[in-house]
Amino acid sequence: MRSIWNGAISFGLVSIPIKLVNATESHSISFRQIHIGDGGRVRYRKVCELDGEEVPTAEIGKGYEEADGSIIPITDEDLAQLPIATAKTIEIVSFVPADQIDPLQMDAAYYLAASGATAAKPYTLLREALKRSRKVAIAKYALRGRERLGMLRVVDDVIAMHGLLWPDEIRVPEGVAPEGEVSVREAELDLADALMATLGEVDMDSLRDDYREAVEAMVAAKAGGETVVAPGPPAEGAGAQVIDLMAALENSVRAAKASRAEAGAAAPPEAEGAGAEVTPIRRKKAAAGTGAAAPKAVGGKKSTTSAAGAGAGTAKKSTAAAAAKKKAGAAAAKKTASAKAADAKPARAAAKKAVTPRKRSSA
């Protein structure tokens, strides 16, 4: 990898020659500006305001603009002669626990490579000291015309440096939080915890830039003369305001469980047990008088009287919803069922008498 800066790490009286290498790279797809009419490239040209001519990069320098609009030229030699120790040195000023660094301060990331054989020993010393202390080093350095703040830590067997924003460059989040007091119930927090446990962890190496891949596929299709099919309309309700937060959380937990089951992934231990279960909200009990439970059958036979009673119960339920003129018909049906039950009583008694075994006379 090509170095972008050469200097040294100042670790007390120890100086470690190093090279600064970019630790990250951008894979985003860049587009060119074109003239829609004919597809020609649209380019930006750097033109001098005084003579109106285009200026090549080699003839472009730096200048500071005063309040009245006048320009003061600044050369690289002027910057190199500034009386600061960090012009070519990463000066370590302290060692602090990593959790004291606010992630909002983190900026670009770099690898620090030992420059030459003589740098191997002090480089390894600093690396192992950082490992054993479990701390990070806070340093100051100058890069691209300004002094910066950095954090040194160990990544594998390499010392990495994260550029940090200065504390006064972090904006106070005024007016960002929701206005007014918002209360959250314990049941909602329990469901949120269950959803977090069900989603579990993710292998960071498995995450991919789906947007970039979709753009690359679209560009390849257009280059091959294929027709690009526009995606269908978004699913109904996507982006709609959540009305029932509890229902949304319950549905989210169910969907997450189903997704993990389809993927064949085992749920994490914390996702199992009562904490990850969804308890349905109990509905109000039905109003009384909607019908009585059917009586149990006696002796394996269905009682005619019970059937008549069930018929009467059904008739009563219908009466509650029907008009008043149906009451007479229901009463007649009940009377008929009772009459049939009375007629069937002698027959049942005779049948019972026929099957009753006779008592044996004593010898």
Side-chain angles (χ1 to χ4, degrees), residues 81-303:
Q81 293 175 2
L82 290 176
I84 56 174
T86 58
K88 279 293 183 180
T89 304
I90 299 175
E91 183 180 2
I92 295 177
V93 296
S94 66
F95 294 86
V96 299
D99 57 6
Q100 289 190 10
I101 305 300
D102 190 339
L104 284 174
Q105 287 186 256
M106 291 190 179
D107 200 1
Y110 308 95
Y111 290 136
L112 304 182
S115 181
T118 57
K121 182 64 179 289
Y123 182 96
T124 305
L125 173 64
L126 177 59
R127 183 190 67 194
E128 296 304 314
L130 287 171
K131 281 184 180 180
R132 190 166 69 172
S133 68
R134 296 183 180 180
K135 293 183 178 180
V136 296
I138 303 301
K140 296 169 66 177
Y141 65 101
L143 181 65
R144 299 189 179 100
R146 54 169 295 193
E147 189 174 51
R148 303 169 187 264
L149 198 61
M151 179 191 75
L152 277 63
R153 68 186 184 99
V154 178
V155 177
D156 295 333
D157 288 331
V158 175
I159 299 175
M161 182 174 69
H162 295 270
L164 299 178
L165 300 175
W166 295 97
D168 59 358
E169 293 179 319
I170 305 298
R171 300 175 64 183
V172 178
E174 295 179 350
V176 179
E179 296 181 0
E181 185 177 353
V182 180
S183 60
V184 179
R185 294 181 295 168
E186 287 294 328
E188 294 168 339
L189 283 173
D190 291 341
L191 279 172
D193 291 340
L195 177 57
M196 293 168 62
T198 304
L199 290 174
E201 299 179 356
V202 65
D203 181 8
M204 297 298 292
D205 293 334
S206 67
L207 300 179
R208 306 181 65 85
D209 187 348
D210 295 331
Y211 178 81
R212 176 172 60 89
E213 293 180 355
V215 171
E216 290 175 346
M218 179 266 293
V219 171
K222 297 194 73 171
E226 300 178 12
T227 302
V228 179
V229 180
E236 186 176 355
Q241 183 178 3
V242 177
I243 303 300
D244 191 340
L245 181 59
M246 289 289 291
L249 287 169
E250 289 177 345
N251 293 335
S252 299
V253 173
R254 293 190 185 99
K257 286 184 176 180
S259 177
R260 291 182 67 86
E262 291 176 1
E270 60 271 18
E272 299 176 357
E277 292 297 326
V278 179
T279 304
I281 301 175
R282 295 183 178 178
R283 305 297 179 187
K284 293 182 179 180
K285 294 183 178 179
T290 56
K296 295 182 179 180
V298 179
K301 296 181 180 180
K302 185 179 290 185
S303 172

Side-chain angles (χ1 to χ4, degrees), residues 35-102:
H35 184 196
I36 297 177
D38 55 17
R41 278 282 304 277
V42 176
R43 298 178 181 271
Y44 289 101
R45 295 180 178 177
K46 299 178 180 180
V47 178
C48 177
E49 292 182 351
L50 296 180
D51 56 19
E53 296 184 359
E54 185 176 354
V55 181
T57 303
E59 297 181 9
I60 297 177
K62 301 181 183 69
Y64 179 82
E65 184 176 4
E66 293 276 29
D68 59 358
S70 60
I71 303 294
I72 299 176
I74 304 295
T75 65
D76 292 338
E77 289 74 16
D78 294 332
L79 296 175
Q81 293 175 2
L82 290 176
I84 56 174
T86 58
K88 279 293 183 180
T89 304
I90 299 175
E91 183 180 2
I92 295 177
V93 296
S94 66
F95 294 86
V96 299
D99 57 6
Q100 289 190 10
I101 305 300
D102 190 339

